Amino acid sequence: MSLDDLKIIISLEQPDTFDAVNLTGELSEVLKSITGDSGRNSFNPDDVKLKRSVFVVARDSLGNAIGCGALRPIDENIAEVKRMYVRKKHMGCGSKILSYLEDKAREFNYSALWLETRLINNNAVSFYERNGYKRIKNYGKYIDYPQSVCFEKKL
């Protein structure tokens, strides 16, 4: 971990800002190269403009946007983590974004966080497992998607 990684600043933003659009666009390209699907159909930016939801951008000590993540409600007690992405050279940033989203979920009085990724996305699967997420049955639109894996973390 570099000194710049220790100075990561995470801030709330709208998902349609310049940096947010660029980061989520990069994420879509990365996901398409790994899974064959960009994931764009699984994320509506308006979902993170709802009450008890957020979109965040992480920046390095120079103010450069280096990562993003979002939280949206599934129901009164469960929120979903969406659009987690970090540019590769910024180790430790993903955990900081995820921790920030978990803190926000607690503030919003959610009792659990859920998320979906693809089994083929080994880096994402191991990242969520390292951060205390447990595999659960596929939910929602992912129920009949054997290529998907869903996770939960109790808060």
Side-chain angles (χ1 to χ4, degrees), residues 23-64:
L23 288 164
T24 57
E26 284 178 29
L27 169 60
S28 293
E29 292 303 313
V30 169
L31 289 175
K32 190 170 186 176
S33 72
I34 295 169
T35 70
D37 183 347
S38 69
R40 284 189 172 117
N41 291 332
S42 295
F43 179 72
N44 179 347
D46 290 336
D47 288 350
V48 294
K49 294 178 182 178
L50 301 171
K51 189 175 181 182
R52 298 175 72 211
S53 66
V54 294
F55 187 92
V56 299
V57 171
R59 290 187 169 72
D60 64 16
S61 59
L62 300 175
N64 300 308

Side-chain angles (χ1 to χ4, degrees), residues 1-8 61:
M1 192 178 292
S2 73
L3 290 177
D4 276 345
D5 291 328
L6 297 175
K7 298 176 187 173
I8 293 168
S61 59

